[in-house]
Amino acid sequence: MATVRKSKKRFIIPICIVLALAIAGGGVAAAVKASKDESVELYTITSGSISENVSLTGDVTSGAVKDYKVGTVATVKDVYVEVGDEVKEGDLLATFDASSLDGQISSLQTSYNNSLNSYNATKENVENAKVMMNELDPQIEKLEDLVYELENGEPYVPSGTTKAPTSRSTTKRTTTESTTHTTGTRTQRSTTEHSTRAVPRTMTEALAQLTETLVQLTDSVTTLATMTEIIADTIADAAASGELNSEVIAHMVGDEIAAAIVSGMIDSAELLVDSGTAVDMIEAAVAQVDFEALGYGFANSQNVALTSAQVQLAALEAERAVYKAQSNTTLLNSQKAALDTTKSALDTLKDTRAEMQAGWTAAFDGTITAVDITPNSQTSAISSGITLENLNSMTATVSLSEYDVHKVRKGMSAKITTAYGQYEGEVLSIAPTATGGNQSSILDNVGGAVGISGLSSLTAQGAGVECKVAIFNTDANIIPGFDADVEINTGSFDGVPTVPIESIVLEKEGTFVYLYDEEEGTATKTQIETGAISDTEYEIKSGLKVGDRIIAIPSSNYKEDTFKIKVK
């Protein structure tokens, strides 16, 4: 991209002098006290016309540029152009042997297919898990009501009925994140760890705590349900026979689980840990339950029914825990991102191969300005290629300061001046963002404070907005890469009050003039607001009116804001 320089205003030098004094001394201050009868010339404010322009310096570039680059490894077959050749749109520039890309494309296609299959499988699992969770919820709620009725001897009354609801929280289990328990009507989550969780008060709570361990051992719903059923049946049989010793029951459960693994009832391939480790973890979890403290008598039919309902509930909630884990979209999202990346790389490589096979053709009528490839040479991803430019269409690229960018609009007329002549032009485009520079100059800040634009062009500091200006009626004297002065007409203002540049004083606090009071014979420092600006005048927005008289060329040594004057 062409190097872009800042604005060069013709009134910069006097402004710089005034600003330097203002900055150094904190304002325009006098080193010498003015006399009581200062002799001055006056200027009378009149209305006139201002043609406001933004003046800048930039580089001349061709109106259209096309850089052809290989971007990958390939072999050049033939090159049909040289620097300086004139070509027409569609002319063949170069051809390539792109067979080396076939293997890369094939490998990338396989990777993409595998990624797509994995993504689709995961997506199906996630969707299925969400469906199964929705199907399990009413079944779980129904069993929760049944367990409550069997434990309390009365039906559960939900919220909103005429009878005050009885909390089911005493019958529900405290679990880790992977399991649920119910209070009132909705499920909740508890983060109680194994080492600190409450002692189970019911068989429901005991089975829930055991389920915490089971969901860590497998992500197979079938395997989880089988293990839950074996554990519940073994505990029920032991309790029914009068055996309530936790260690004994733990060994009994371990033996049954181990036998189920050996027989194939539980598929060891579905376990997330070694089968022996799984048995040990289950035994340890069962041993933590104080079955004697539960105080259950399993012999009577009511408790047999209760235990059966509790077993079913624990199994369903274990299933739901697995489905909840499967419904997590984190893995799905990561697979989608990987799939999109692979697809993008594959498409890019295919497009490159197609371009190489077809060869490079001229995108428009123009001139070849660079050729950096030769027949039978090997290219790389960073190799240069061929540059095509339309030298019949020229632009000047300039940089707009933060104060000028708000004045310039696409379509505004412009004058472009080079060492060989002057040309008409028009603003083609304005970049949406600023580039270049990390800090503003102090003159930028002062200019903003006093409402004067263009001061940022005094320094290379600060960012600028790239602006392209079309150059009309170009000739051989317009050469890309040379400098050009650009003057953009930002507006014409007719019949507005104006003030000469030399009559104003710029300070950090604002823009001032010295207003003459004929009755008092005095001049008073008066702040004004300026608008449009030309090379010689400012538009007056407020502070002065047509007919007012001001000191034509104020001195820099006035000490008082109001003082007596003699009019020359």
Side-chain angles (χ1 to χ4, degrees), residues 280-292:
D280 292 341
M281 290 176 65
I282 292 172
E283 284 192 17
V286 174
Q288 291 182 12
V289 180
D290 188 352
F291 292 101
E292 293 181 351

Side-chain angles (χ1 to χ4, degrees), residues 11 76 98 122 162-163 192 223 249 281 301 316 333 339 355-356 372 395 406 436 439 460 471 518:
F11 55 85
V76 181
T122 302
T162 54
K163 180 180 178 181
T192 308
T223 301
I249 294 177
M281 290 176 65
S301 59
L316 288 180
N333 293 337
L339 181 66
E355 182 182 10
M356 294 296 97
D372 296 315
T395 62
H406 300 294
Q439 56 185 346
I471 305 175
E518 187 173 4

Side-chain angles (χ1 to χ4, degrees), residues 46-53 489-501 530-541:
T46 61
S47 62
S49 298
I50 289 182
S51 180
E52 185 177 42
N53 299 306
N489 181 254
T490 56
S492 296
F493 304 85
D494 298 323
V496 296
T498 62
V499 59
I501 288 178
T530 60
I533 179 174
S534 70
D535 292 345
T536 59
E537 296 177 303
Y538 285 92
E539 175 193 6
I540 301 170
K541 303 289 286 187

Side-chain angles (χ1 to χ4, degrees), residues 361-419:
T361 57
F364 48 80
D365 295 352
T367 304
I368 302 299
T369 58
V371 177
D372 296 315
I373 56 175
T374 57
N376 302 317
S377 63
Q378 195 77 6
T379 67
S380 68
I382 60 174
S383 296
S384 298
I386 295 175
T387 301
L388 171 64
E389 298 187 56
N390 181 1
L391 301 182
N392 294 323
S393 172
M394 296 289 185
T395 62
T397 303
V398 296
S399 179
L400 300 175
S401 73
E402 60 181 305
Y403 302 106
D404 290 336
V405 70
H406 300 294
K407 301 177 182 178
V408 178
R409 296 288 182 271
K410 182 178 178 180
M412 284 183 170
S413 61
K415 289 183 178 180
I416 299 89
T417 305
T418 70

